[in-house]
Amino acid sequence: VCGFSGGLLLGLIMALMRLSSVKPYRWFAATYIEIFRGIPLVVTLLILGFGLPIAFQWRWPNPYLQGAVPLALVAATSRPSW
């Protein structure tokens, strides 16, 4: 629930940035969307959930965030299925 709620909020922000008249906002949103649409969710979960904490000797403060953050990042770029 937290992952999809975060994805909804981040997706709304990205959509507004994509429609903005400010060129850097449009560029950032388009780059973000294209990168996270191209990377599968499982790869994002593995990189953010396990890869970065191992590489930087860091731990997630809450184990639920370990899955919710990558899920929100990918859910923000998904298209509606209708």
Side-chain angles (χ1 to χ4, degrees), residues 2 8 17 22 26 37 45 59 71-72 75 78 82:
C2 293
L8 179 67
M17 286 175 70
V22 180
R26 285 195 322 247
R37 264 194 201 158
L45 281 168
R59 294 187 67 128
L71 187 60
S78 63
W82 54 48

Side-chain angles (χ1 to χ4, degrees), residues 6-81:
L8 179 67
L9 179 66
L10 189 59
L12 178 65
I13 292 168
M14 287 297 133
L16 291 174
M17 286 175 70
R18 188 88 165 115
L19 295 173
S20 173
S21 61
V22 180
K23 203 170 237 182
Y25 288 166
R26 285 195 322 247
W27 177 84
F28 177 79
T31 304
Y32 174 85
I33 290 168
E34 292 303 318
I35 287 173
F36 279 102
R37 264 194 201 158
I39 300 174
L41 174 61
V42 174
V43 174
T44 308
L45 281 168
L46 288 174
I47 290 172
L48 292 178
F50 298 106
L52 290 178
I54 290 172
F56 295 112
Q57 301 296 317
W58 175 74
R59 294 187 67 128
W60 285 94
N62 185 344
Y64 293 111
L65 288 176
Q66 192 171 5
V69 169
L71 187 60
L73 292 174
V74 173
T77 64
S78 63
R79 295 181 181 156
S81 59

